[in-house]
Amino acid sequence: MILEAKNINKYFKKPVPFHVLKDINFTVDDGEFISIMGKSGCGKSTLLYILSTMDTDYDGQLYLKNELVTGKSRDSLSYIRNKHIGFVFQFHYLLSEFSVLENVMLPAKKLGEKSLKEIEKAAFEKLEILNIEKLAHKKASQISGGEKQRVAIARALINNPSIIMGDEPTGNLDSHNAENVFKIFKNLSEEQGLSLLIVTHDIDFANKTDRIIEMLDGRIIS
Amino acid sequence: MNWRVIIGIAKTHLFTKIKQTAIAALGVTFGIGSYIALVSFMTGLNGMLDDLILNKTPHVHIYNEIEPSKEQPIDIHEAYANTFNIVKSIKPKQTQRKIHNALPIIHNLSKNNDVIAAIPQLKTQIFYISGPIELGGNLSGIDIMKEVEFFNFKDYIVKGTPQDLLNSDVGILLGSGVASKMSLGIGDRVQIRTAVGTNFPLKVIGVFQSGIADLDNVQSFVNLRTAQKILGVPRNHITDINVKLHDIDKAFPLAKKIEGQFNLKAIDIKTANAQFETGTNIRNLITYAVSITLLIVAGFGIYNILNMLIYEKMNDIAILKATGFSGKDVQYIFLSQAMIIGFVGGILGLLIGYIISSIIDKIAFETEALPTITTYPVNFNVWFYLIGISFAMVSTFLAGYLPSRKARKIDPVRIIRGQ
Ligand SMILES: Nc1ncnc2c1ncn2[C@@H]1O[C@H](COP(=O)(O)OP(=O)(O)OP(=O)(O)O)[C@@H](O)[C@H]1O
Ligand SMILES: [Mg+2]
């Protein structure tokens, strides 16, 4: 078991008190490829921010690799995100002033477990997996949206995380590119035993995953 | 903490915003540069003015004041002990100005560890005679080599050399005013007449100029031995002792001690020149006030630019935090940007300050009062440069601290949602 959410509840106090997540319970197993679906505003992103440890303002417990992460200090949460969690945003969030290669290398440099040479080699491998090694030395601001999305995925992979979380990573890609990204995810989960938790509105995408978690008004309904 | 990564990110941010970076750094450069130039020039000026007084003024001046006795016989007499006595028109006793036991006193002072040198002088009043003209004046018999060594006497000799005086039994070093009034130059002869009326022929071997006209119009110097010969007194006849100390602050206690011990008048330099320290302090105050103001202005520039930068970099901050950089890492990224600006701006400031100081140092500055000085005085002191760069680093650190703390506290979820 990679991830376990126990009785997670979240409230927004402003502008009006709002119970956004209600009794969320579920687990993610090793190598499982899960998609989360649900109407707009039902709380998918909110849940993902909690699971990714970025949001700490919730009730309930979150376990990562059977270890309780709820209540840990901000610094240790940063370390957990760095080492164990790869996050892919809906919008291609890259550091626009850095090259593609540097963007991919940064989380590994922060982790500091490998030498610069090894990190660079690993970064090239990830770029090759995603078929964008040619872009390595381009500025992040000078590549297309689909390419940026793939760079973000390469970056999420650089520290060989235990789980990848994506918030509509194919949301603004054309169907061809979306198909590509899906294949990459599928490969990762099958060949490298990586767990994936992907929020999507694309029913075709979701149907091809191992399991679909469906949400409605802050609850998991199936 | 992975500093290479943090500095790397900081540098990339700075290089992509090179214009703002340059403006912020130039603010520091301007502040530090003006500080260096100002402080070097001001302390140079201070040093010159201090030297003017310190170098030619003895730290303690010992002499025998001719004054009426403080106690009259009636005050001591038992019969009048309980009466109120008034004695009018008290006159000083007929005494000599000479210091009794001058040589043992000098010997005693020389053994004191605080004392660099104690130098004897013989001062007397004379007339300069040139044909029908008689000019009143002062003649001092001095130990010329010691005066040169300890009181920078050479700086004031504008014609001739100290050696010339030393080698001549009948040589006289004339004040520039005396020389010009009587149209005398090196090699000319001059007669002097003592208070008791004896004439003595001397040969002009040089001219000195102290810059103080009242002095230069009356004062001349001869060797101590020559002066004693002119007056017909023995070798131990000395009227003044000038003392130079290692630490000028010890002048006052030493003067008091001498007065108590030897029944002589001893004046310390601070009592004699009370105004000079006040001037120094005020000039220093102005220098530092102006420099600090400049640096504060530069600091606000950095604060502003860093604040702006953080608003522009909200996305980057959110990404960094989402991918595992801690709040501290992010804070250090922005703090190191401030420090880099401070360091680069500061070093440039030191350079600019040095260049400006060097230029000031070359500007001609000639004044009657200071015959040895030809350009503006500048004090090239390493300490100013160390203080300058530390000042730059500290002020940029303070300017960068608040914005960087803000960056540390930014909640990545809010930024990511905001998109
Ligand atoms: N900071 C906030 N303060 C108050 N309410 C919020 C805040 N963020 C989100 N919400 C509300 O919480 C609910 C869940 O938002 P969330 O972003 O999780 O939805 P979502 O399921 O990801 O929707 P979408 O599919 O459109 O991305 C929404 O009704 C939203 O209005
Ligand atoms: Mg969402």
Side-chain angles (χ1 to χ4, degrees):
Chain A
M1 201 161 39
I2 284 290
L3 190 87
E4 182 174 14
K6 267 192 188 163
N7 300 321
I8 288 189
N9 280 279
K10 180 171 174 76
Y11 305 85
F12 283 121
K13 279 140 202 129
K14 280 189 264 179
V16 285
F18 176 39
H19 193 177
V20 55
L21 293 177
K22 300 162 188 162
D23 288 327
I24 303 285
N25 283 291
F26 74 98
T27 60
V28 181
D29 285 331
D30 291 349
E32 219 181 352
F33 188 176
I34 302 178
S35 50
I36 301 178
M37 294 197 76
K39 275 200 301 210
S40 181
C42 71
K44 305 179 298 291
S45 297
T46 308
L47 176 61
L48 220 51
Y49 297 140
I50 291 174
L51 299 180
S52 68
T53 75
M54 278 193 280
D55 188 353
T56 52
D57 180 20
Y58 60 90
D59 300 331
Q61 291 91 43
L62 177 67
Y63 293 87
L64 195 78
K65 294 181 143 186
N66 295 319
E67 196 187 329
L68 181 68
V69 295
T70 308
K72 286 202 178 200
S73 75
R74 293 207 161 269
D75 283 356
S76 38
L77 290 180
S78 292
Y79 175 76
I80 289 171
R81 278 204 294 283
N82 193 212
K83 177 139 178 85
H84 299 297
I85 302 174
F87 202 95
V88 185
F89 306 94
Q90 176 170 10
F91 299 93
H92 12 71
Y93 258 116
L94 297 178
L95 302 179
S96 53
E97 286 155 359
F98 291 74
S99 75
V100 164
L101 187 65
E102 283 170 308
N103 264 286
V104 177
M105 287 167 70
L106 259 172
K109 284 190 188 169
K110 165 61 196 165
L111 191 62
E113 282 180 356
K114 292 183 189 164
S115 74
L116 210 62
K117 268 236 167 74
E118 290 169 318
I119 292 173
E120 196 172 321
K121 196 165 153 262
F124 265 109
E125 277 169 24
K126 307 298 176 196
L127 288 174
E128 269 164 34
I129 294 175
L130 291 145
N131 261 322
I132 44 169
E133 71 275 12
K134 305 180 299 296
L135 303 177
H137 296 292
K138 275 199 158 183
K139 268 264 183 83
S141 52
Q142 291 166 350
I143 57 177
S144 81
E147 289 165 342
K148 281 181 190 169
Q149 198 72 39
R150 281 181 279 170
V151 175
I153 295 169
R155 182 180 63 195
L157 294 172
I158 188 72
N159 285 340
N160 297 320
S162 320
I163 183 164
I164 295 247
M165 299 182 193
D167 191 356
E168 302 181 42
T170 57
N172 44 357
L173 293 186
D174 59 41
S175 57
H176 173 74
N177 266 314
E179 179 66 19
N180 238 345
V181 167
F182 174 80
K183 276 186 197 152
I184 293 159
F185 283 161
K186 192 77 188 163
N187 266 340
L188 289 168
S189 102
E190 278 171 3
E191 285 168 19
Q192 306 192 11
L194 195 67
S195 306
L196 292 125
L197 191 60
I198 308 292
V199 170
T200 181
H201 284 291
D202 182 347
I203 185 70
D204 294 334
F205 183 105
N207 279 333
K208 289 183 274 183
T209 59
D210 301 344
R211 175 152 69 102
I212 300 175
I213 292 177
E214 192 147 5
M215 287 182 69
L216 183 66
D217 291 339
R219 279 182 208 283
I220 293 182
I221 51 170
S222 72
Chain B
M1 196 61 49
N2 199 332
W3 282 107
R4 267 191 34 206
V5 184
I6 286 170
I7 303 282
I9 297 172
K11 270 204 282 201
T12 309
H13 277 170
L14 289 180
F15 275 119
T16 48
K17 288 268 173 272
I18 194 73
K19 252 191 196 162
Q20 274 130 306
T21 308
I23 289 168
L26 280 180
V28 181
T29 302
F30 183 67
I32 299 291
S34 359
Y35 160 75
I36 294 285
L38 250 172
V39 81
S40 303
F41 183 45
M42 281 298 209
T43 55
L45 218 51
N46 274 347
M48 181 191 79
L49 294 172
D50 289 357
D51 283 356
L52 202 59
I53 292 169
L54 293 185
N55 284 346
K56 66 181 173 193
T57 315
H59 296 168
V60 180
H61 177 205
I62 305 168
Y63 58 101
N64 205 350
E65 185 116 279
I66 295 182
E67 56 186 354
S69 329
K70 287 184 182 122
E71 274 191 330
Q72 293 300 312
I74 196 167
D75 296 328
I76 328 172
H77 199 285
E78 290 166 23
Y80 301 96
N82 293 320
T83 58
F84 185 68
N85 311 311
I86 297 173
V87 185
K88 286 186 179 165
S89 295
I90 299 171
K91 297 285 187 296
K93 200 166 67 171
Q94 167 67 38
T95 50
Q96 287 179 308
R97 282 207 53 222
K98 116 176 215 200
I99 298 175
H100 298 287
N101 299 327
L103 295 180
I105 291 176
I106 290 176
H107 184 68
N108 181 350
L109 284 170
S110 308
K111 280 195 296 189
N112 187 328
N113 282 337
D114 293 334
V115 173
I116 298 177
I119 303 174
Q121 286 196 353
L122 171 51
K123 287 189 185 166
T124 184
Q125 256 124 41
I126 49 137
F127 294 98
Y128 303 98
I129 300 167
S130 169
I133 320 165
E134 282 188 16
L135 270 178
N138 297 328
L139 187 69
S140 296
I142 55 172
D143 184 338
I144 178 74
M145 288 338 259
K146 282 196 178 151
E147 296 285 349
V148 169
E149 187 179 350
F150 299 111
F151 292 106
N152 290 24
F153 194 76
K154 196 172 179 197
D155 290 354
Y156 306 102
I157 300 180
V158 288
K159 281 184 200 150
T161 66
Q163 210 66 40
D164 294 341
L165 182 62
L166 184 71
N167 293 340
S168 166
D169 274 348
V170 292
I172 181 167
L173 189 60
L174 280 183
S176 60
V178 180
S180 69
K181 274 193 215 169
M182 307 207 299
S183 317
L184 291 170
I186 289 182
D188 292 341
R189 302 207 153 265
V190 59
Q191 288 268 345
I192 61 151
R193 179 179 299 153
T194 65
V196 292
T198 43
N199 281 11
F200 206 93
L202 292 170
K203 190 177 154 204
V204 179
I205 55 83
V207 175
F208 94 96
Q209 182 180 352
S210 70
I212 302 164
D214 280 348
L215 193 66
D216 297 340
N217 282 340
V218 293
Q219 182 71 52
S220 292
F221 296 96
V222 293
N223 285 316
L224 183 58
R225 187 68 201 115
T226 312
Q228 286 163 344
K229 265 190 218 155
I230 292 171
L231 295 179
V233 293
R235 276 175 181 271
N236 66 356
H237 188 107
I238 282 157
T239 58
D240 299 73
I241 300 172
N242 289 339
V243 181
K244 187 168 182 167
L245 301 174
H246 290 289
D247 180 2
I248 186 172
D249 291 330
K250 298 216 167 104
F252 182 72
L254 185 72
K256 282 281 150 271
K257 197 176 122 192
I258 292 168
E259 283 194 345
Q261 209 172 342
F262 299 113
N263 191 23
L264 289 168
K265 191 91 183 159
I267 297 281
D268 69 287
I269 186 165
K270 285 198 180 160
T271 311
N273 299 282
Q275 80 288 356
F276 104 94
E277 213 175 358
T278 322
T280 304
N281 287 347
I282 289 177
R283 279 189 297 272
N284 278 340
L285 201 69
I286 293 173
T287 307
Y288 279 89
V290 172
S291 310
I292 289 174
T293 312
L294 289 170
L295 281 174
I296 288 176
V297 172
F300 270 109
I302 295 176
Y303 174 83
N304 261 333
I305 283 170
L306 232 63
N307 251 337
M308 249 165 52
L309 201 70
I310 286 170
Y311 277 113
E312 282 173 21
K313 296 288 177 233
M314 282 293 186
N315 277 354
D316 284 25
I317 294 170
I319 297 167
L320 288 170
K321 288 189 170 178
T323 55
F325 284 79
S326 66
K328 255 188 221 146
D329 294 334
V330 172
Q331 174 167 27
Y332 289 144
I333 288 172
F334 286 94
L335 212 47
S336 26
Q337 291 182 16
M339 302 301 274
I340 291 172
I341 291 175
F343 185 73
V344 174
I347 292 287
L348 274 177
L350 297 188
L351 213 72
I352 300 271
Y354 180 77
I355 291 171
I356 295 176
S357 313
S358 303
I359 292 172
I360 295 176
D361 197 31
K362 295 275 170 333
I363 298 175
F365 171 66
E366 280 176 32
T367 160
E368 279 271 295
L370 303 154
T372 48
I373 287 179
T374 54
T375 59
Y376 278 101
V378 172
N379 180 4
F380 291 97
N381 188 334
V382 209
W383 272 106
F384 300 152
Y385 293 78
L386 291 176
I387 292 173
I389 193 73
S390 324
F391 220 2
M393 300 302 283
V394 169
S395 63
T396 48
F397 177 85
L398 293 178
Y401 183 75
L402 285 181
S404 74
R405 215 178 54 155
K406 188 155 75 192
R408 171 194 188 148
K409 291 195 170 152
I410 284 171
D411 176 6
V413 175
R414 264 185 52 194
I415 310 301
I416 295 167
R417 257 191 221 286
Q419 271 261 315

